[in-house]
Amino acid sequence: MYTFLRAKAVSAAVLTAGLCLAATACTNSGDDSPSSGTGASSGDNTAAAQQLASPSASAGGPACTYQRYGGGVPKLDITDGKTVVGFSQSESTSNPFRATETKSIEAQAKKLGVKLIERNANADVNTQNSQIEDMIAQGAKVLIVAPENSDGLGPALAKAKAKKIPVLTIDRSVTGTACTDFIAFIGSNFYGQAQMAADDLAGATGSSAHVAILTGSPGNNVTTDRTKGFEDQVKAKYPKMKIVASQTGNFAQTDGQKVMEQLLQAHPDINAVYAENDEMALGAIQAIKSAGKTPGKDVKIVTIDGISQMVQNVASGQAVADIETNPRFGPLAFQSLQDFYGTTGVQPKVIIKDGHFTSGNAKQALSQGLVY
């Protein structure tokens, strides 16, 4: 699990506010309350749920600044209304996570007066490479990138590096070295999410179950960490929980449903499912129903993301828990860029604060607009 450190990048004011921006939605992963802040209202949804968390996982080395990045890059004022910041979104905004992520980046850019240009790769890494290179040609001087996968952006990163254009990655990491090939990674503690999912599933099954894992798309750090974290936790703590099947559903609802149908036929003893995202979990629920079983009763489900539809399933008892993957990167991403171009710098990993939706808090979280 990532080790959390209090970094100089976090001001005393932020620490006092519980390491939150708009602290109304700052949730503790181990807390059953959907809000550990103050004053959330049902109409204050996305804005209320913007969260800031502490930078982490540096080995005590220096933070990344524009002077250090790749041997040095020009200093910029991203709020001068002239400097172009490019945002590369990896997937369609029909996905609630991507829609919320994009809106958060756009809203914070507007708030700060940042000149933003955007592209969406629609889940095609080759397209994402081309679009990043296009944004560079369009005058982008710094890039915020949500990678389609961890390994496939070599050409675009090389082009940016050659042009001395820094790249900040969000929600997925990329292959390379922090402060050399990219500024930093901002995202969730994916390994820790998976450990929590194992604990939730153990609690719902009396620590004795036949578990199917629906893994995410291969080739990215999210899938790797969410698989390893779950497997490690089960091995370490729950010897009576048996992982009887593990197969990719590619983070997609249709794939998740198809794979779950196949797994139930091959392993009719499956009574627990760990889905590495909500889209696959929604597909699994349909497959379980089609098999004549009752989700939440015959088959316990734990998932990760925190989209509204899945949190509603937690509230209704069809799923045990949903660990949030917070997509509201706007405030943290632009603060990190300002720190990068200032004197504070940015640590290699910045972990955003996630919620944890259970039967004890799901209805309240929905009513307060704290889900996306």
Side-chain angles (χ1 to χ4, degrees):
M1 180 184 289
Y2 298 125
T3 303
F4 296 105
L5 302 176
R6 179 178 297 182
K8 293 180 181 179
V10 183
S11 68
V14 173
L15 288 168
T16 302
L19 296 174
C20 291
L21 291 179
T24 49
C26 227
T27 49
N28 184 319
S29 295
D31 191 346
D32 279 342
S33 65
S35 172
S36 59
T38 58
S41 66
S42 58
D44 191 19
N45 42 41
T46 299
Q50 288 176 340
Q51 301 169 13
L52 176 65
S54 57
S56 89
S58 122
C64 187
T65 63
Y66 72 95
Q67 297 103 322
R68 292 188 60 239
Y69 186 87
V73 296
K75 184 174 184 179
L76 301 174
D77 177 2
I78 62 170
T79 63
D80 63 6
K82 300 176 183 178
T83 300
V84 178
V85 177
F87 171 51
S88 173
Q89 176 58 274
S90 60
E91 296 171 14
S92 169
T93 52
S94 62
N95 180 315
F97 179 94
R98 298 298 168 183
T100 305
E101 181 179 57
T102 296
K103 288 177 183 177
S104 180
I105 294 291
E106 292 172 343
Q108 192 67 10
K110 183 177 180 180
K111 179 179 179 180
L112 296 175
V114 173
K115 188 174 182 180
L116 186 72
I117 60 174
E118 305 175 53
R119 300 289 187 275
N120 190 308
N122 287 305
D124 187 316
V125 71
N126 293 322
T127 297
Q128 189 166 35
N129 273 293
S130 297
Q131 289 179 342
I132 291 172
E133 292 180 10
D134 177 61
M135 285 192 290
I136 292 171
Q138 293 296 314
K141 299 301 181 184
V142 60
L143 296 163
I144 301 171
V145 176
E148 169 56 23
N149 64 48
S150 298
D151 300 325
L153 291 181
L157 292 178
K159 183 68 171 288
K161 188 174 183 180
K163 296 283 188 178
K164 291 190 175 294
I165 297 172
V167 177
L168 179 68
T169 65
I170 61 174
D171 82 54
R172 291 175 183 166
S173 67
V174 291
T175 301
T177 303
C179 212
T180 298
D181 303 300
F182 59 94
I183 297 170
F185 160 73
I186 302 176
S188 295
N189 179 352
F190 305 119
Y191 187 93
Q193 289 177 327
Q195 289 180 305
M196 191 183 304
D199 291 340
D200 285 341
L201 208 52
T205 61
S207 301
S208 179
H210 291 169
V211 184
I213 302 177
L214 297 179
T215 66
S217 303
N220 68 76
N221 66 306
V222 180
T223 296
T224 300
D225 287 355
R226 285 183 182 167
T227 302
K228 182 170 173 53
F230 186 88
E231 292 175 343
D232 287 353
Q233 191 78 341
V234 167
K235 182 178 180 180
K237 295 181 64 176
Y238 308 114
K240 293 183 179 180
M241 287 178 64
K242 306 297 181 184
I243 298 171
V244 298
S246 180
Q247 189 169 329
T248 181
N250 292 308
F251 286 138
Q253 183 171 343
T254 53
D255 287 358
Q257 181 173 348
K258 182 179 179 180
V259 169
M260 194 69 234
E261 289 170 349
Q262 295 170 348
L263 293 181
L264 286 170
Q265 290 176 358
H267 303 276
D269 58 341
I270 288 172
N271 61 359
V273 173
Y274 163 49
E276 293 183 2
N277 84 334
D278 284 355
E279 294 291 327
M280 294 188 296
L282 291 170
I285 286 174
Q286 293 304 313
I288 291 164
K289 290 179 177 178
S290 296
K293 298 175 183 284
T294 303
K297 182 180 179 182
D298 299 320
V299 183
K300 306 292 186 181
I301 302 166
V302 172
T303 180
I304 299 175
D305 265 352
I307 69 172
S308 178
Q309 187 176 357
M310 199 63 217
V311 178
Q312 288 172 0
N313 287 330
V314 174
S316 69
Q318 293 189 79
V320 173
D322 194 355
I323 296 105
E324 183 190 39
T325 302
N326 187 352
R328 305 170 190 92
F329 290 103
L332 192 50
F334 284 104
Q335 184 60 58
S336 295
L337 288 180
Q338 289 176 302
D339 289 342
F340 171 76
Y341 286 116
T343 58
T344 303
V346 184
Q347 294 297 317
K349 289 188 178 75
V350 181
I351 304 303
I352 197 167
K353 199 168 185 66
D354 294 326
H356 183 200
F357 304 112
T358 68
S359 60
N361 68 13
K363 289 181 180 179
Q364 183 183 355
L366 288 162
S367 68
Q368 291 184 338
L370 302 182
V371 298
Y372 57 92

